[in-house]
Amino acid sequence: MITRDLSSLPKRDIYRILSSLVIPRPIAWITTVDGSGRVNLAPFSSFMGIFGPPMLAITLGRRRDGSLKDTHRNLKERGEAVVHLADLPMLEALHASAAEVAPEVSEVERLGLVTEPSLHVTPPRLREAPVALECRLNRELELGPLSTLALLDVLTAHAAERIWSADHDCADASFWTPVSRLASVAGPNYGALGQTFRLDASELP
Ligand SMILES: Cc1cc2nc3c(=O)[nH]c(=O)nc-3n(C[C@H](O)[C@H](O)[C@H](O)COP(=O)(O)O)c2cc1C
């Protein structure tokens, strides 16, 4: 067994090691809108779903100069976001949307992505993304000088028809290829869902 005491490691090493262990991580691909209506898009893989109540948790770090990321600033100002889940054909666009560009540059326009209006929030959703969750900021929790946990209420869920199972009235993972984030070694590494299994549930509560 390789054992590392995290309390004695520099921050960079902690991040490299933990982000290689907690895998695969779903990636929240988030649209927000700034004060002048510009649409921002960026991926966040420190992300999990909380299903009762219907919420999402996302950790927002800081830019290299310590300032807030555009997603974070827009969330604070407008309190709204659309969280998408991407499938394999969108992976390169997702990756490219993480580039640190000036706030006045819209990653959506830069990448030539098409949007559709949302039902209950101002940020639009990406037309090609198989899943889009319209969200409102519930609260923020400061985790230190460089990290904030944002809790979002999910108001509306959209899924592409092609991933929907009419039999079960929910999405079926065998109809699409959700992407995930793996270790950060020389940049982010990604995975795609491979095999899926259904086991007997008769003895489960
Ligand atoms: C796959 C992937 C996952 C990421 N996850 C996070 C994350 O969980 N938290 C974070 O602060 N930044 C994360 N980043 C970095 C942000 O996407 C990046 O800082 C981006 O420039 C922020 O854009 P914005 O300023 O438009 O919000 C991730 C990047 C990639 C490529």
Side-chain angles (χ1 to χ4, degrees):
M1 214 54 182
I2 309 284
T3 303
R4 295 285 158 84
D5 179 358
L6 299 189
S7 64
S8 62
L9 286 180
K11 255 201 272 173
R12 194 171 8 97
D13 293 349
I14 293 175
Y15 176 74
R16 190 188 64 256
I17 291 170
L18 272 187
S19 73
S20 76
L21 298 176
V22 184
I23 60 161
R25 296 190 295 288
I27 305 170
W29 199 17
I30 305 181
T31 49
T32 52
V33 166
D34 73 9
S36 42
R38 217 172 286 114
V39 181
N40 191 86
L41 177 67
F44 294 85
S45 65
S46 179
F47 160 54
M48 69 178 284
I50 300 160
F51 305 117
M55 295 179 100
L56 304 176
I58 296 157
T59 317
L60 303 154
R62 298 289 182 273
R63 286 187 174 221
R64 257 179 280 263
D65 64 5
S67 63
L68 295 188
K69 297 187 179 186
D70 297 339
T71 303
H72 193 175
R73 208 192 40 253
N74 295 345
L75 253 183
K76 269 187 181 299
E77 283 175 15
R78 305 190 73 132
E80 294 180 333
V82 179
V83 174
H84 306 81
L85 289 137
D87 59 356
L88 200 48
M90 304 198 85
L91 179 59
E92 288 197 10
L94 177 148
H95 180 72
S97 72
E100 213 168 270
V101 293
E104 59 276 11
V105 175
S106 167
E107 293 85 358
V108 171
E109 286 171 21
R110 196 171 148 252
L111 296 167
L113 297 168
V114 180
T115 60
E116 299 274 356
S118 292
L119 284 180
H120 295 114
V121 297
T122 315
R125 66 183 170 86
L126 300 172
R127 186 196 285 170
E128 298 306 323
V131 175
L133 305 171
E134 296 183 23
C135 297
R136 189 166 290 141
L137 180 64
N138 177 299
R139 74 188 86 152
E140 289 184 49
L141 187 64
E142 296 305 329
L143 302 179
L146 298 176
S147 189
T148 304
L149 182 72
L151 292 174
L152 310 180
D153 291 315
V154 183
L155 309 177
T156 316
H158 304 274
E161 280 177 29
R162 67 185 168 85
I163 74 164
W164 203 253
S165 155
D167 291 347
H168 299 292
D169 195 32
C170 65
D172 183 328
S174 63
F175 297 162
W176 61 304
T177 315
V179 293
S180 62
R181 188 170 179 183
L182 306 174
S184 281
V185 178
N189 289 266
Y190 298 95
L193 194 63
Q195 288 168 284
T196 63
F197 308 92
R198 178 175 294 132
L199 299 185
D200 177 27
S202 58
E203 292 189 5
L204 300 184

